[in-house]
């Protein structure tokens, strides 16, 4: 179980993964050695999964976001086609879903021409039967940060931010 200090650390790291240990300790009001120990424990427990750099897709010319529903001939309980979809570079997310369509895929491409090539790649995967594509006009919010507001914690020091 996490305590309020762990939650504070996680909130700060979600906002700025490059923060120095010294600055993190200053913001929490703890000694750097204590904060470093807590971060290491959060990593060992798998609470902190990994650190990533977030690139600006528009600055790289990859400005077209799409959500694509994929209908497949996967047998019940199989996600093999989803694993193949996940191997494609332009694909950012693959979600195995319940309902008429088996997968929801998020992809980013540079143009409608590259989207057409991506759809061709999808169609070449044996078992892909149909798709529905939604083009994103504007993104109002996009984050990987998790809301920790309602996480139960032990020994609350103070409320998490």
């Amino acid at each position: 179980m996490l305590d309020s200090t762990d939650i504070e650390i996680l909130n700060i790291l979600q906002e700025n993964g490059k923060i120095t240990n010294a600055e993190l300790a200053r913001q929490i009001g703890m000694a750097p050695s204590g904060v470093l120990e807590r971060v290491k424990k959060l990593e060992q427990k798998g609470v902190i999964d990994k650190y990533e750099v977030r690139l600006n897709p528009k600055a790289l010319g990859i400005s077209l976001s799409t959500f694509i529903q994929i209908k497949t001939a996967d047998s019940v309980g199989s996600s093999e086609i989803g694993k193949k979809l996940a191997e494609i570079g332009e694909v950012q997310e693959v979600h195995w879903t319940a309902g008429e369509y088996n997968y929801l895929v998020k992809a980013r491409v540079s143009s409608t021409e590259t989207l057409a090539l991506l759809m061709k790649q999808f169609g070449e995967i044996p078992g892909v039967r149909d798709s529905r594509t939604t083009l994103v006009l504007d993104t109002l919010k996009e984050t990987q940060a998790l809301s920790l507001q309602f996480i139960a914690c032990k020994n609350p020091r103070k409320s998490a931010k």
Side-chain angles (χ1 to χ4, degrees), residues 129-154:
R129 297 288 179 244
D130 190 21
S131 67
R132 285 186 183 171
T133 303
T134 301
L135 299 178
V136 175
L137 299 177
D138 191 17
T139 299
L140 306 175
K141 179 180 181 179
E142 183 175 54
T143 182
Q144 288 292 311
L146 300 175
S147 174
L148 304 177
Q149 180 178 351
F150 299 109
I151 298 290
C153 57
K154 62 180 181 180

Side-chain angles (χ1 to χ4, degrees), residues 53-64 108-110:
V53 172
R54 190 162 183 151
L55 303 176
N56 181 335
K58 288 181 182 175
L60 296 167
I62 309 171
S63 58
L64 185 59
R108 284 192 195 266
V109 293
S110 58

Side-chain angles (χ1 to χ4, degrees), residues 3-5 153-159:
D3 66 16
S4 61
T5 302
C153 57
K154 62 180 181 180
N155 303 322
R157 191 168 64 104
K158 61 182 177 181
S159 64

Side-chain angles (χ1 to χ4, degrees), residues 79-130:
S79 60
E80 291 307 308
I81 293 173
K83 291 174 185 171
K84 290 178 182 167
L85 292 167
E87 293 173 1
I88 298 171
E90 292 81 4
V91 171
Q92 291 188 294
E93 300 174 14
V94 177
H95 303 277
W96 187 23
T97 60
E100 184 179 354
Y101 287 80
N102 305 78
Y103 299 99
L104 176 63
V105 173
K106 177 183 176 186
R108 284 192 195 266
V109 293
S110 58
S111 65
T112 54
E113 289 82 13
T114 54
L115 176 59
L117 293 172
L118 177 65
M119 298 308 296
K120 186 173 187 246
Q121 277 186 278
F122 288 174
E124 291 171 351
I125 297 172
V128 170
R129 297 288 179 244
D130 190 21

